[in-house]
Amino acid sequence: MAQVKGCAHGSGSHAGLRPCLASATARPRAWLLLEHPGPWPERIEWLGLPIIAEAERHGVRTQLIRRTGRRRAAHPIQMYAGWSGPGPWLEGRVLEDPAELAELDLAAVARGLRPGFGTPVDHPLFLLCTHGKRNVCCATTGAPLARQLAGRFPETVWETSHVGGDRFAANLVCLPHGLYYGELDAAHADAAVRAYLRGEVVLDRFRGRAGLPEPAQAAEHFVRQRTGLLGVDEVTVESVTGSGPFTALVSAGGSRWSGTVEPIEFPASSGGVCDDTVQTYQIRDLALHSEAALV
């Protein structure tokens, strides 16, 4: 069994001193959230729950979730299904028996279709990674933030299992859009939550949007930085081509921008376990491509 990773918390780790842009998980846009009080093993598939394997087979990302502080018994449990692609949505349902999950159409969720298994959720969800068995940093940095945010936004904040990017703990995911933030402290976490509640992003500590390739996440970031457009739906990456460097075409506020996105390395800052070299991106030749975005 793999050992739990530690962290020396060297200079630059979890302090916002390294770039974390374009580091959101690139594969899933479909989500399954299952309340589970814990303890969580290092890898959630080790729980042996059939629904986790089934979700993986359909390309749906499963996250275990739990409330902060005193945790209720195993049943009933809250579940959510969601989609972070075009037309994002969330559905939720309280399960008296986990066997009810057999009725969930995971194939529909994977295609971005509402399964009708639960009721529409009209408020966002905020997931703070506190998965200490996966990486101790996630517990030591994420758990205090989860408690603080839960005190301010009690109905929307959950602790969650591994979301990817332990080196960027504390990590926050905003659903349904799948926006990732990392290297958060209390002030930056509060700013990210409040921005999302008003339909915006904050570029400081913004890791990117789940379900997009990393170069596309970088292109979105740089166009937002250039234009000042912060609305969640104001900037859309139309295409990214090439194999590095990449050519990006982005629509933003009724205009189109083009540029060349290149991967670069941000060097390690010390010998700490979480201070390994980080890949990041830069953009060249970012320019206004046309005044009106094509539909």
Side-chain angles (χ1 to χ4, degrees), residues 111-268:
R111 297 195 303 271
L113 303 176
R114 292 180 179 268
F117 180 72
T119 58
V121 176
D122 60 2
H123 58 77
L125 298 178
F126 300 102
L127 309 183
L128 274 296
C129 181
T130 61
H131 198 164
K133 286 285 183 66
R134 187 65 179 252
N135 191 302
V136 68
C137 304
C138 298
T140 58
T141 64
L145 284 186
R147 290 192 295 269
Q148 293 173 30
L149 290 177
R152 300 170 194 159
F153 313 100
E155 300 303 315
T156 60
V157 173
W158 294 85
E159 295 184 17
T160 195
S161 54
H162 177 67
V163 298
D166 299 330
R167 65 171 65 91
F168 298 120
N171 285 303
L172 167 71
V173 181
C174 307
L175 293 177
H177 287 84
L179 306 184
Y180 270 56
Y181 289 88
E183 306 236 338
L184 292 177
D185 55 22
H188 288 93
D190 187 77
V193 168
R194 293 187 185 279
Y196 192 57
L197 288 172
R198 62 176 182 266
E200 295 182 349
V201 303
V202 177
L203 291 184
D204 190 12
R205 320 293 173 95
F206 181 46
R207 289 182 56 189
R209 191 184 298 251
L212 292 181
E214 292 175 352
Q217 297 177 36
E220 176 183 346
H221 187 104
F222 290 125
V223 170
R224 288 185 181 279
Q225 192 175 58
R226 173 69 68 87
T227 63
L229 294 173
L230 298 178
V232 170
D233 297 318
E234 282 188 294
V235 178
T236 302
V237 179
E238 295 185 20
S239 66
V240 173
T241 56
S243 57
F246 306 89
T247 300
L249 190 62
V250 181
S251 63
S255 298
R256 300 174 88 195
W257 293 77
S258 60
T260 302
V261 177
E262 295 178 316
I264 59 173
E265 288 189 347
F266 187 85

Side-chain angles (χ1 to χ4, degrees), residues 16-23 168 183 265-266 278-281:
L17 301 180
R18 303 170 306 172
C20 63
L21 67 93
S23 63
F168 298 120
E183 306 236 338
E265 288 189 347
F266 187 85
V278 175
Q279 178 178 280
T280 186
Y281 291 86

